[in-house]
């Protein structure tokens, strides 16, 4: 009798595992869902520079974006797209904090476009 109960529990667990395998999202889907969407803005270099100074970005990236504690950003546009920069500034990466609670998404998009133009 106990063998039948144990076999039934095992069978139910296997069916449940198979259902979960086909219904849960994959790693790529989760990453895509969590990727922030950059809003469309017209780049304003003056506003981008003011935002960088106001947020103390120069304390890590230097007053000429030459790097220091943070990486050199003088030619970051040749390595990353505006969308990738937007994601990094929004979510943070490594030692860099997230700025999604400190800046509006339009401000982050403007800074991302300004940095992406640096090639």
């Amino acid at each position: 009798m106990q063998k039948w109960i144990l076999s039934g529990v095992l069978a139910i667990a296997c069916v449940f595992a198979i259902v979960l395998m086909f219904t849960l999202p994959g790693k790529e889907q989760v990453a895509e869902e969590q990727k922030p969407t950059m809003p469309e803005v017209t780049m304003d270099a003056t506003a981008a520079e003011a935002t960088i100074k106001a947020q103390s970005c120069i304390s890590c990236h230097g007053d000429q974006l030459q790097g220091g504690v943070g990486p050199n950003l003088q030619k970051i546009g040749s390595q990353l797209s505006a969308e990738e920069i937007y994601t990094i500034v929004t979510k943070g990466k490594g030692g860099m904090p997230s700025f999604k609670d400190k800046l509006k998404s339009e401000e982050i998009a403007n800074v991302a476009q300004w940095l992406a133009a640096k090639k």
Side-chain angles (χ1 to χ4, degrees):
M1 179 73 172
Q2 290 179 343
K3 290 181 182 179
W4 289 104
I5 294 173
L6 188 58
S7 298
V9 169
L10 182 62
I12 291 172
C14 289
V15 170
F16 185 66
I18 291 171
V19 169
L20 286 178
M21 281 184 359
F22 289 108
T23 58
L24 290 177
K27 186 170 43 172
E28 295 82 15
Q29 290 173 317
V30 171
E32 191 62 33
E33 289 172 2
Q34 293 177 349
K35 184 177 176 185
T37 306
M38 187 170 109
E40 294 289 327
V41 296
T42 303
M43 185 180 69
D44 181 355
T46 306
E49 289 177 16
T51 300
I52 284 179
K53 288 178 183 172
Q55 292 301 315
S56 301
C57 299
I58 59 175
S59 65
C60 292
H61 296 288
D63 60 345
Q64 300 297 315
L65 302 177
Q66 74 274 12
V69 175
N72 183 328
L73 300 179
Q74 291 174 335
K75 295 183 180 181
I76 194 70
S78 62
Q79 300 167 3
L80 300 173
S81 68
E83 291 81 16
E84 291 170 320
I85 296 170
Y86 178 83
T87 300
I88 291 170
V89 175
T90 301
K91 295 176 72 175
K93 182 178 180 183
M96 181 173 163
S98 167
F99 282 86
K100 69 180 175 186
D101 296 331
K102 299 175 185 166
L103 295 171
K104 297 177 187 171
S105 59
E106 292 80 14
E107 291 174 313
I108 297 173
N110 188 40
V111 168
Q113 286 182 348
W114 180 70
L115 288 171
K118 298 198 169 294
K119 298 184 181 203

